[in-house]
Amino acid sequence: MSTRHRTMPIRCAPQPGEALDSWLEFTAARLTCPFTDILSALGLPNRETATAALVLPAWTIRLTRDERAAITAVTGIAEDVLTAMTLQPFDGHAVDILPRHRRVNRRVLWGRAGSRFCPLCLADSGGRWLVAWRLSWSFACTRHHVLLADRCPACHRVPRLRSHPRRETPRPGRCSSAAPDGGPRPPRCHHPLTDVPVTAIPADGDLAKVQRFIDTALTAPGRPVRWPLYGLGGAPLNVVLRDTKTLGALVLNHATPDDLGPLAAPNVLDRLELYRAHLLPVGSHRSPDARHGDLHSHVAPGDAAATAVAVSAAFRILRAENIRSAARAAEWLTGRMTASGRPLYPGNVVALGGAISPALEATLRCSRESKLMPVARLRHRTGVDSTRLRSLGLVSVVVRVGGDVLGWGVAGLVSGVLRVGLALSWGERLMGGIAVVGLYRMSVDAVSGSRVLTR
């Protein structure tokens, strides 16, 4: 049985690009009522049923069908507009949402918690927050030409990590995080976020241009990115951002200040070096089994300056005209990586922080060409800028008489399973009913890692 909700006496229209929770908080402030009254009117919970502490509600990430219908019935806002106020339109493109829990996967596409913000935009809008500020790929405001702020300077917390307190009336433009050292039920910080100092960037500089490109791409995230490196058809946005994350992590881990000088102004680089000088919190910025050299590879950078420089450096490589040009642009980076003691050779470039595109794999392979023996250059096709699968050599194929491939091997010794589907033991596979039929060439897919046989 459906639940009917009364319409609100005063309706506030959401601003373009505004986050759903920001709009609801602004509405509560306009009605001068506790936030819980708005949530009750819409039939939305403010406390997650699976947790005891207040957290950012799942409906800010993705709305269910019933939640959208209830909000539309009470407010009159169209369902497609409500969907655009969550992270759902970016799912699979610029962020990865775990569907069961409606949570952001923080280890894919540099997912992050909380929100950055532009103090000048908050001042102009009366304290309205953009949903795009929740993406790691938003690091600058192209309207005011500043880097986004990461934390409240008074309580030193990332804003909007949790829901607004239920029993308080929201104060738009002010920090709603708990004040430091406030006890078990601390008061709110309420520092004016419109007064937070920010770092200026040139309006026509690399950082602003990169952010404008990302902002444009996010308006239609399903549209392919048509850069020459990815061929005539281009590549999906998530592929480009995945490659950007891989290169950006290498930049943050291995680049020196002199390497990054051409990318940004000194004030931005000083902020980056201050961020890199501090150790990252264990468990929040790295996986337990991560190497020391991979500190920035798993979770998004916690500073807008670090993100801006890393993404801009990655774009300089990915926007090259071809694989050979991209390899020359990446040579300094892979050189820094090997100089730090991290081994890098063409066969292991796919292990640099997750799946990468064949184009980027070929780029990184070719960037190491001068360090390879001639036979290795032939094997990895660095001389022809190839994105084809790398070869593992000639192998004999062990098959059943019926034609089903069971495994591959050399000199009749089975080494691995290619197709599983027949409930046969290894003994049954090696005894009777099998035969070795010719030589095939085995390759490894650059993305999936699966073995492929060709004549």
Side-chain angles (χ1 to χ4, degrees), residues 129-295:
W129 292 70
L130 298 181
V131 67
W133 289 344
R134 284 203 166 104
L135 300 173
S136 292
W137 310 108
S138 296
F139 51 79
C141 175
T142 57
R143 178 184 175 190
H144 296 104
H145 312 304
V146 297
L147 292 179
L148 299 181
D150 295 288
R151 296 177 180 269
C152 169
C155 66
H156 306 290
R157 289 188 169 93
V158 176
R160 311 190 85 77
L161 281 173
R162 299 184 175 185
S163 174
H164 191 279
R166 294 178 296 166
R167 296 181 177 86
E168 293 191 16
T169 300
R171 301 176 65 180
R174 292 183 176 268
C175 179
S176 62
S177 300
D181 303 325
R185 290 190 176 181
R188 297 298 103 185
C189 174
H190 286 161
H191 182 80
L193 297 179
T194 54
D195 298 338
V196 174
V198 287
T199 302
I201 59 175
D204 57 348
D206 285 348
L207 304 187
K209 291 178 181 178
V210 169
Q211 185 64 75
R212 279 194 290 268
F213 172 84
I214 293 176
D215 291 345
T216 302
L218 292 177
T219 60
R223 184 183 306 161
V225 177
R226 300 189 182 278
W227 286 349
L229 184 66
Y230 293 100
L232 296 177
L237 179 61
N238 67 330
V239 171
V240 175
L241 294 183
R242 191 173 62 214
D243 288 350
T244 301
K245 171 192 171 183
T246 299
L247 291 173
L250 294 180
V251 169
L252 293 177
N253 287 326
H254 303 289
T256 67
D258 291 339
D259 296 329
L260 303 176
L263 287 173
N267 60 337
V268 177
L269 296 179
D270 290 344
R271 180 171 157 182
L272 165 63
E273 292 308 315
L274 181 64
Y275 169 74
R276 293 205 295 182
H278 292 81
L279 292 177
L280 300 175
V282 175
S284 62
H285 286 262
R286 61 179 298 182
S287 63
D289 58 346
R291 299 185 181 183
H292 180 72
D294 292 332
L295 292 177

Side-chain angles (χ1 to χ4, degrees), residues 38-397:
I38 297 296
L39 297 174
S40 298
L42 300 177
L44 295 175
N46 192 37
R47 185 185 292 271
E48 295 291 329
T49 57
T51 59
L54 289 175
V55 296
L56 196 63
W59 47 262
T60 63
I61 309 298
R62 178 196 291 268
L63 285 167
T64 66
R65 182 182 304 175
D66 292 341
E67 288 170 345
R68 280 197 305 269
I71 298 174
T72 297
V74 175
T75 65
I77 303 300
E79 292 191 14
D80 60 332
V81 175
L82 296 173
T83 298
M85 299 171 72
T86 68
L87 292 179
Q88 184 174 348
F90 308 115
D91 185 22
H93 304 291
V95 71
D96 182 67
I97 298 177
L98 302 173
R100 180 178 178 183
H101 303 287
R102 291 193 285 172
R103 294 288 171 214
V104 172
N105 186 351
R106 298 181 64 187
R107 298 198 178 276
V108 178
L109 289 173
W110 265 352
R112 70 188 305 270
S115 177
R116 295 189 176 114
F117 62 97
C118 173
L120 302 175
C121 288
L122 290 179
D124 293 344
S125 64
R128 318 287 278 269
W129 292 70
L130 298 181
V131 67
W133 289 344
R134 284 203 166 104
L135 300 173
S136 292
W137 310 108
S138 296
F139 51 79
C141 175
T142 57
R143 178 184 175 190
H144 296 104
H145 312 304
V146 297
L147 292 179
L148 299 181
D150 295 288
R151 296 177 180 269
C152 169
C155 66
H156 306 290
R157 289 188 169 93
V158 176
R160 311 190 85 77
L161 281 173
R162 299 184 175 185
S163 174
H164 191 279
R166 294 178 296 166
R167 296 181 177 86
E168 293 191 16
T169 300
R171 301 176 65 180
R174 292 183 176 268
C175 179
S176 62
S177 300
D181 303 325
R185 290 190 176 181
R188 297 298 103 185
C189 174
H190 286 161
H191 182 80
L193 297 179
T194 54
D195 298 338
V196 174
V198 287
T199 302
I201 59 175
D204 57 348
D206 285 348
L207 304 187
K209 291 178 181 178
V210 169
Q211 185 64 75
R212 279 194 290 268
F213 172 84
I214 293 176
D215 291 345
T216 302
L218 292 177
T219 60
R223 184 183 306 161
V225 177
R226 300 189 182 278
W227 286 349
L229 184 66
Y230 293 100
L232 296 177
L237 179 61
N238 67 330
V239 171
V240 175
L241 294 183
R242 191 173 62 214
D243 288 350
T244 301
K245 171 192 171 183
T246 299
L247 291 173
L250 294 180
V251 169
L252 293 177
N253 287 326
H254 303 289
T256 67
D258 291 339
D259 296 329
L260 303 176
L263 287 173
N267 60 337
V268 177
L269 296 179
D270 290 344
R271 180 171 157 182
L272 165 63
E273 292 308 315
L274 181 64
Y275 169 74
R276 293 205 295 182
H278 292 81
L279 292 177
L280 300 175
V282 175
S284 62
H285 286 262
R286 61 179 298 182
S287 63
D289 58 346
R291 299 185 181 183
H292 180 72
D294 292 332
L295 292 177
H296 301 275
S297 301
H298 301 280
V299 179
D303 186 271
T307 306
V309 174
V311 173
S312 298
F315 272 29
R316 283 199 170 190
I317 297 172
L318 297 176
R319 301 193 78 162
E321 290 298 320
N322 50 54
I323 291 174
R324 179 63 56 185
S325 298
R328 286 195 295 267
E331 189 173 358
W332 70 270
L333 182 56
T334 54
R336 292 292 185 194
M337 183 177 179
T338 55
S340 69
R342 169 80 179 269
L344 178 65
Y345 49 90
N348 77 340
V349 295
V350 294
L352 296 177
I356 59 177
S357 69
L360 179 56
E361 184 189 359
T363 294
L364 296 177
R365 280 193 282 109
C366 290
S367 73
R368 306 302 301 158
E369 182 181 19
S370 62
K371 307 299 181 182
L372 297 178
M373 296 289 289
V375 65
R377 296 182 189 180
L378 290 173
R379 178 184 179 188
H380 295 284
R381 302 182 179 91
T382 60
V384 294
D385 308 338
S386 175
T387 59
R388 291 178 56 191
L389 308 179
R390 67 182 188 275
S391 173
L392 295 183
L394 295 176
V395 297
S396 300
V397 179

Side-chain angles (χ1 to χ4, degrees), residues 392-414:
L392 295 183
L394 295 176
V395 297
S396 300
V397 179
V398 180
V399 298
R400 290 195 73 206
V401 174
D404 293 320
V405 177
L406 292 180
W408 58 272
V410 179
L413 297 178
V414 177

